Amino acid sequence: MKELSSLQIERLKYQPKLPSSLAGGINNLSLSEGNNTECVKDAEQIKELFKNTYGKPVVTFKTSEQTEVSPARNVGVILSGGQAPGGHNVIAGLYDALKQANPQNKLYGFLGGPSGIIDGQYIEFTDEKINAYRNTGGFDIIGSGRTKLETEEQFQKSLEVCKKLGITGVVIIGGDDSNTNAAMLAEWFVKNNAGIQVIGCPKTIDGDLKNEQIEISFGFDTATKTYAELIGNIQRDANSAKKYWHFIKLMGRSATHVGLEVALQTQPNITLISEEVEEKKMSLKQIVDYMADIIARRANSGKNFGVALIPEGLIEFIPEMKSMIANLNDIMSSLEQDASYNKLTVPADRFNFIESRLEKENAEVFESLPVLIKAQLLMDRDPHGNVQVSKIETEKLLIEMIKIKLDEMKAEGEYMGKFSDQCHFFGYEGRCAFPSNFDADYCYSLGYNAFALMKFGLTGYLSSVKNLSAPADEWVAGGVPLTMMMNMEKRHGQFKPVIKKALVELNGPVFKVLEENREKWAMEDKYLFPGSIQYFGPSSVCDITTETLRLENQAKLAAV
Ligand code: FBP
């Protein structure tokens, strides 16, 4: 029996690249500070909530001739939220920097996500443990979780656990919500003179934790390449058999960065972009008409096959659904303790109960949905009170409605084809893939850099590595104050400080490519077959980044 696959063995040997500014060693760094910063919106409230950590400058590292060794210290690390390829390398980079800085330093990993720091569940990392996970996918080294770190009691408990372990620095690896929590914890520690620094690292396959300072979150590169490989294979199958329409839902809770990137890598016949649906105020019926029109036109030219990409979060961007879901979320949160609802066991009774409480127009929308979707909309909410969109089979909803539309078109003589469907949902398939070279390098650099930020006494910062379209040695390492990315948004009915999510920009360079080509891709088959991620071989296939990064960087350069 084998202990490791051949690829596992080879990947463990890969040495991730660091930006040249960090490659000189953790004890040979100097720090440059920019000007003080402002948050993206709602400055008054954010300043008030983050009195101690607001407005700090963006910082950048350079190699220094001077060597500075600091006293031994202990650091803790948390993996938070959904898995993303490269998480293990963030921890490996952090560990290497910390041990290089002072071999007496210790790194603790909190188990099962943020709950680990509250409940005092942890391990101490050793060389052996870290070496077994280098360049591997997944978060299984310490596990992850979605507990929100936000209450006074949780902060107090975290402080006690850190004190017990002598921890003076915590790294939180997470998405927008987890880094919002990192900012709150950092502020609380300063306010309470805890002497504990907090640094965040930008993680999420969704690609929506990005802004002027953060070019992309880690995991997006590998996950989109994994999905693109699978979609390319399906396109080949569709083009060979010429008998199925493949409807593929793609992960990405809210924004459609994943769908857009994958579309540019594969050029399918239909790509829905949630942000466009919202901007154009498209109803569910209009989306169905748009898709049915392409299906009919292709069928009328002899092609009863095709590939359509559907973003996971679509349902929440269709105005009538958005309004209904918001209304439903409020009702559901008040129903948790409601015995009259909880005792209903027959689905139809639950649907009637909900319909009777929804506002009239929302009730009509809910009522019009197939039973399967109604039931999925009533499932448990996530810790933020949101519908778990990954569990809603939007692709099936669209297929059912398209079939009805095509029958109507057939009756009118507008459609003569045959529609046979296949459904797919790609999400979990990509979140734990072996990180691409890009993600392996980027993540290792983020972790290494997180310790550099701690070494300079900073707190409430997000580890940042920029200039990512260039080769790794030209990347720019530094830190961005977390408050700089914040604004106030309504959560659970209350305004709270949160890191602003980046949605797809409809006037941005990436969407423009889709917009310019989609009619051609709809009718002529311009499929691309990206194949699997390459880890060994020419740099032109192993080290390429995403189209999103390439096009955004190109646009930035053109604007200078
Ligand atoms: P993060 O924002 O925590 O990185 O997670 C994103 C995501 O992968 C979404 O794309 C998806 O909707 C969600 O996680 C699924 O969550 P879960 O893993 O709890 O099923």
Side-chain angles (χ1 to χ4, degrees):
M1 194 193 86
K2 277 188 179 180
E3 289 288 318
L4 295 174
S5 72
S6 310
L7 187 64
Q8 273 176 291
I9 295 168
E10 285 309 316
R11 280 314 270 172
L12 289 177
K13 296 180 202 159
Y14 178 75
Q15 179 53 53
K17 305 177 210 70
L18 275 175
S20 59
S21 56
L22 298 180
I26 194 77
N27 292 328
N28 291 82
L29 290 175
S30 69
L31 182 86
S32 320
E33 289 189 355
N35 297 326
N36 284 353
T37 55
E38 291 282 341
C39 60
V40 282
K41 230 174 90 201
D42 310 314
E44 295 266 297
Q45 290 109 303
I46 304 283
K47 216 185 254 180
E48 186 58 27
L49 290 165
F50 295 89
K51 288 199 182 82
N52 300 286
T53 47
Y54 183 84
K56 299 270 160 63
V58 171
V59 298
T60 315
F61 291 115
K62 282 204 193 89
T63 310
S64 156
E65 296 289 303
Q66 276 182 332
T67 305
E68 296 253 357
V69 181
S70 14
R73 62 180 306 183
N74 298 346
V75 170
V77 62
I78 299 171
L79 287 164
S80 180
Q83 284 70 249
H88 290 159
N89 266 27
V90 179
I91 298 181
L94 174 65
Y95 180 84
D96 288 353
L98 170 139
K99 289 287 179 188
Q100 212 180 76
N102 186 330
Q104 303 305 314
N105 286 347
K106 286 184 185 168
L107 181 64
Y108 291 101
F110 290 109
L111 301 175
S115 62
I117 193 172
I118 303 167
D119 304 334
Q121 298 294 316
Y122 62 89
I123 55 160
E124 186 189 333
F125 287 109
T126 57
D127 286 356
E128 199 189 1
K129 180 85 178 170
I130 293 284
N131 290 344
Y133 285 90
R134 288 182 192 271
N135 310 304
T136 56
F139 278 8
D140 42 330
I141 192 167
I142 46 172
S144 186
R146 289 196 183 275
T147 301
K148 274 177 76 61
L149 260 185
E150 58 177 356
T151 67
E152 184 75 19
E153 192 195 346
Q154 291 173 327
F155 294 160
Q156 193 66 48
K157 282 188 171 173
S158 307
L159 173 61
E160 281 158 27
V161 170
C162 288
K163 282 229 161 102
K164 190 180 120 206
L165 295 171
I167 285 176
T168 56
V170 176
V171 174
I172 299 183
I173 302 170
D176 51 340
D177 284 320
S178 310
N179 277 297
T180 298
N181 296 158
M184 290 170 69
L185 186 63
E187 174 69 23
W188 192 89
F189 280 154
V190 180
K191 192 172 122 199
N192 291 282
N193 293 317
I196 304 172
Q197 297 160 256
V198 182
I199 301 292
C201 279
K203 171 237 69 167
T204 176
I205 62 151
D206 294 1
D208 55 6
L209 174 48
K210 66 171 180 178
N211 47 53
E212 298 255 300
Q213 302 295 331
I214 301 295
E215 290 173 30
I216 196 66
S217 53
F218 79 76
F220 179 76
D221 186 89
T222 311
T224 52
K225 284 173 181 162
T226 307
Y227 305 141
E229 180 205 351
L230 298 173
I231 290 162
N233 295 349
I234 286 178
Q235 291 184 153
R236 206 52 119 183
D237 198 289
N239 205 21
S240 306
K242 302 198 189 297
K243 63 176 180 182
Y244 292 126
W245 261 94
H246 293 268
F247 276 53
I248 306 169
K249 186 172 79 165
L250 279 172
M251 218 175 225
R253 202 197 173 278
S254 213
T256 321
H257 299 292
V258 171
L260 183 54
E261 169 62 29
V262 167
L264 299 201
Q265 286 187 35
T266 58
Q267 304 183 175
N269 305 104
I270 298 177
T271 304
L272 298 181
I273 302 291
S274 303
E275 291 82 346
E276 185 184 23
V277 164
E278 184 169 49
E279 168 81 14
K280 292 185 174 164
K281 300 191 172 47
M282 286 174 85
S283 64
L284 188 54
K285 182 179 174 317
Q286 283 170 318
I287 297 170
V288 168
D289 289 353
Y290 165 73
M291 297 178 86
D293 172 64
I294 293 176
I295 293 168
R297 281 194 288 134
R298 281 179 65 84
N300 295 347
S301 67
K303 294 175 181 175
N304 284 301
F305 66 93
V307 172
L309 302 189
I310 296 140
E312 182 185 58
L314 176 71
I315 199 147
E316 289 193 307
F317 283 76
I318 303 169
E320 80 243 26
M321 297 294 259
K322 186 177 181 172
S323 152
M324 185 269 288
I325 289 172
N327 195 179
L328 192 59
N329 284 347
D330 287 345
I331 294 173
M332 296 295 286
S333 65
S334 67
L335 285 184
E336 274 159 23
Q337 316 295 343
D338 190 325
S340 55
Y341 175 75
N342 291 328
K343 74 168 191 241
L344 300 175
T345 49
V346 178
D349 293 341
R350 289 198 156 200
F351 302 159
N352 290 336
F353 183 98
I354 294 290
E355 270 165 48
S356 70
R357 301 221 169 173
L358 283 166
E359 286 161 22
K360 189 170 170 289
E361 282 183 7
N362 295 329
E364 281 166 14
V365 173
F366 186 81
E367 208 268 315
S368 72
L369 296 171
V371 168
L372 174 80
I373 303 295
K374 282 186 191 173
Q376 290 167 352
L377 281 167
L378 298 189
M379 283 179 185
D380 288 344
R381 272 34 195 168
D382 73 7
H384 308 281
N386 298 317
V387 168
Q388 299 192 55
V389 280
S390 61
K391 294 191 177 155
I392 298 183
E393 293 171 296
T394 325
E395 67 283 20
K396 290 196 179 151
L397 171 66
L398 289 172
I399 287 172
E400 286 318 304
M401 295 181 73
I402 285 169
K403 280 182 181 161
I404 297 170
K405 175 72 190 173
L406 290 175
D407 283 346
E408 286 167 13
M409 291 170 82
K410 208 169 241 177
E412 296 291 320
E414 294 165 8
Y415 167 67
M416 276 82 70
K418 190 168 170 293
F419 179 72
S420 189
D421 62 276
Q422 293 285 351
C423 287
H424 314 262
F425 169 36
F426 296 150
Y428 301 98
E429 292 81 349
R431 296 201 314 185
C432 286
F434 274 104
S436 60
N437 284 355
F438 173 84
D439 269 330
D441 299 345
Y442 181 39
C443 290
Y444 187 82
S445 302
L446 284 171
Y448 194 98
N449 184 64
F451 189 73
L453 293 167
M454 283 191 173
K455 204 165 178 285
F456 280 85
L458 301 170
T459 190
Y461 272 77
L462 190 65
S463 176
S464 92
V465 176
K466 302 188 226 181
N467 199 27
L468 296 170
S469 307
D473 62 335
E474 292 170 35
W475 291 353
V476 177
V480 183
L482 285 161
T483 56
M484 193 180 175
M485 305 166 205
M486 294 185 125
N487 69 167
M488 301 296 288
E489 285 176 24
K490 215 171 177 187
R491 296 282 159 95
H492 285 302
Q494 280 180 354
F495 277 98
K496 297 219 166 163
V498 291
I499 292 181
K500 202 168 167 3
K501 246 189 213 314
L503 298 180
V504 166
E505 284 182 21
L506 299 178
N507 53 7
V510 193
F511 179 73
K512 287 277 171 252
V513 176
L514 175 73
E515 202 175 30
E516 281 159 17
N517 289 289
R518 68 176 152 200
E519 178 55 23
K520 199 187 315 152
W521 295 352
M523 298 309 295
E524 302 164 33
D525 300 329
K526 295 285 178 191
Y527 303 140
L528 293 179
F529 312 105
S532 61
I533 296 176
Q534 301 296 307
Y535 301 96
F536 306 98
S539 188
S540 59
V541 289
C542 291
D543 296 327
I544 39 165
T545 56
T546 56
E547 281 298 285
T548 305
L549 258 187
R550 189 182 68 77
L551 290 163
E552 284 175 350
N553 184 53
Q554 209 175 56
K556 245 186 255 165
L557 291 176
V560 175

